[in-house]
Amino acid sequence: MPDTNATVTATYSRRMRLLLDTGQEVGARIHGKKLKTVCADRVRAEPIPGEPDWLITEIGVRRNVLDRPDSRGNTEVLAANIDRLVIVAAGLPKPDWFVLDRYLCAAELMPAGALIVFNKSDHELPAGAADALAVYTALGYELLNTSATTGHNLAELGAMLGSSTALVVGQSGVGKSSIINIISDGAELRTSAVSNKTREGKHTTVNSIMLPTAAGGSIIDSPGVRDYAPVFRSQSEVQAGFIEIQTAATGCRFANCLHLREPDCAVKSGVERGKIAARRYESYRRAVVLAERAQKKYR
Ligand SMILES: Nc1nc2c(ncn2[C@@H]2O[C@H](COP(=O)(O)OP(=O)(O)O)[C@@H](O)[C@H]2O)c(=O)[nH]1
Ligand SMILES: [Mg+2]
Ligand SMILES: [Zn+2]
């Protein structure tokens, strides 16, 4: 493993921004199409003689990744080396709990500490949202109601994230960029203004960007990446990501129970007795169907 000397802090269509261990920020490129870096990647980079850009020669070992299918159904890594996965939802756009469940599942598998942020608390909670959110807190997930408009609980959010590297995900329009802009003290706006003026010209949209927080941490936004929630590779991955189903599964008659149609299934009886939320079980079933489809595709 070569020594790394920089961290990736932004990715554009073909270029990256690096924070060198010396504290200097530089633009960078990478050779070939095979190597692909993401925010929070540790890399080895060297200056290119006669050019302002540096060249990335190696990517360090990744502690974890968040990956998802891209528009072509291939797997795309969104970010690496993540401590906290901040999953944002709001009353508007209408919450898609299946998206939230899939991100929670991803957080368990990475692993990374999940934190659910329900934003736009300046608006009334939509019907059913309080009950849905109570299911997550009962499972032990941290939940924070915030408003990027009034600033409600954003200092608390910053304090909870502390010095960690946090990746912010969730449906488009829930307020991710607004929250990040406040937590990073406006760095987001400043940085996108800079990225628009890069030498490469007009079409250098930022895919992902990592910004420093006041508490000494880093927070990652992915404004140029469409939000596809994660898809898993197998039923066992899905089960491991739905923590209450994983726990209940020890009581099933068959060790390889899928909790779908099998007899003496402790998961299904848990749902019937109200021990497992029916909506979470429905997400589990849908995620298993997606996993089976993904397996066929990659086989
Ligand atoms: N009322 C209200 N609107 C918000 C809040 N946070 C963000 N918005 C608005 O929601 C829209 C989407 O916000 P944005 O940060 O771009 O969402 P993103 O797509 O998740 O990054 C914008 O019009 C924001 O001004 C909030 O807490 N309350
Ligand atoms: Mg955004
Ligand atoms: Zn079962």
Side-chain angles (χ1 to χ4, degrees):
M1 191 56 228
D3 281 348
T4 54
N5 62 350
T7 303
V8 175
T9 55
T11 59
Y12 305 90
S13 45
R14 271 190 304 275
R15 295 177 69 243
M16 299 92 208
R17 189 164 51 107
L18 298 181
L19 177 61
L20 304 179
D21 291 350
T22 58
Q24 189 191 351
E25 283 203 307
V26 296
R29 298 192 266 112
I30 195 161
H31 255 319
K33 290 217 162 111
K34 286 254 173 65
L35 283 181
K36 222 177 159 243
T37 57
V38 293
C39 276
D41 257 335
R42 291 285 301 164
V43 297
R44 174 98 206 141
E46 56 194 38
I48 306 173
E51 276 190 46
D53 268 1
W54 284 47
L55 184 70
I56 298 171
T57 56
E58 309 240 17
I59 305 175
V61 174
R62 291 168 171 168
R63 183 156 51 81
N64 62 20
V65 297
L66 178 68
D67 54 16
R68 320 167 306 168
D70 66 11
S71 51
R72 292 189 208 96
N74 300 316
T75 298
E76 156 187 80
V77 177
L78 189 61
N81 305 321
I82 300 304
D83 302 311
R84 303 295 312 256
L85 190 64
V86 180
I87 311 163
V88 185
L92 249 183
K94 195 171 170 289
D96 184 339
W97 303 112
F98 185 43
V99 168
L100 179 59
D101 286 331
R102 278 192 277 166
Y103 275 121
L104 285 173
C105 184
E108 297 295 336
L109 297 172
M110 287 169 74
L115 170 56
I116 301 168
V117 168
F118 203 80
N119 189 42
K120 309 199 185 183
S121 67
D122 50 301
H123 288 173
E124 218 175 295
L125 269 186
D131 289 346
L133 292 170
V135 168
Y136 298 109
T137 48
L139 289 172
Y141 288 112
E142 283 183 296
L143 167 69
L144 202 59
N145 289 286
T146 62
S147 170
T149 303
T150 66
H152 176 60
N153 269 343
L154 289 186
E156 286 76 2
L157 176 59
M160 277 167 91
L161 297 178
S163 61
S164 63
T165 299
L167 172 64
V168 182
V169 295
Q171 292 164 259
S172 183
V174 292
K176 298 182 296 294
S177 298
S178 306
I179 291 170
I180 291 168
N181 193 45
I182 295 170
I183 295 219
S184 67
D185 212 3
E188 169 118 43
L189 289 182
R190 288 199 301 275
T191 316
S192 21
V194 170
S195 70
N196 286 337
K197 289 189 231 137
T198 51
R199 308 173 273 295
E200 266 198 8
K202 41 195 189 319
H203 294 301
T204 45
T205 51
V206 66
N207 290 329
S208 284
I209 188 162
M210 181 163 86
L211 301 160
T213 66
S218 304
I219 193 157
I220 301 173
D221 193 10
S222 311
V225 181
R226 271 197 59 186
D227 40 280
Y228 298 97
V231 169
F232 307 98
R233 290 160 196 82
S234 65
Q235 180 267 345
S236 58
E237 269 196 4
V238 174
Q239 175 172 303
F242 283 74
I243 51 177
E244 73 277 44
I245 290 176
Q246 172 88 314
T247 304
T250 54
C252 295
R253 191 209 296 182
F254 302 112
N256 61 351
C257 187
L258 297 175
H259 326 304
L260 299 176
R261 284 166 295 270
E262 296 87 344
D264 295 332
C265 170
V267 171
K268 273 188 296 173
S269 76
V271 176
E272 278 153 25
R273 285 180 296 117
K275 291 252 177 207
I276 293 173
R279 210 200 40 67
R280 283 274 294 175
Y281 175 68
E282 190 49 35
S283 280
Y284 162 82
R285 281 180 17 136
R286 287 174 70 185
V288 169
V289 170
L290 291 182
E292 280 167 356
R293 237 183 256 161
Q295 253 176 346
K296 280 198 194 108
K297 201 175 157 116
Y298 295 125
R299 196 172 292 147

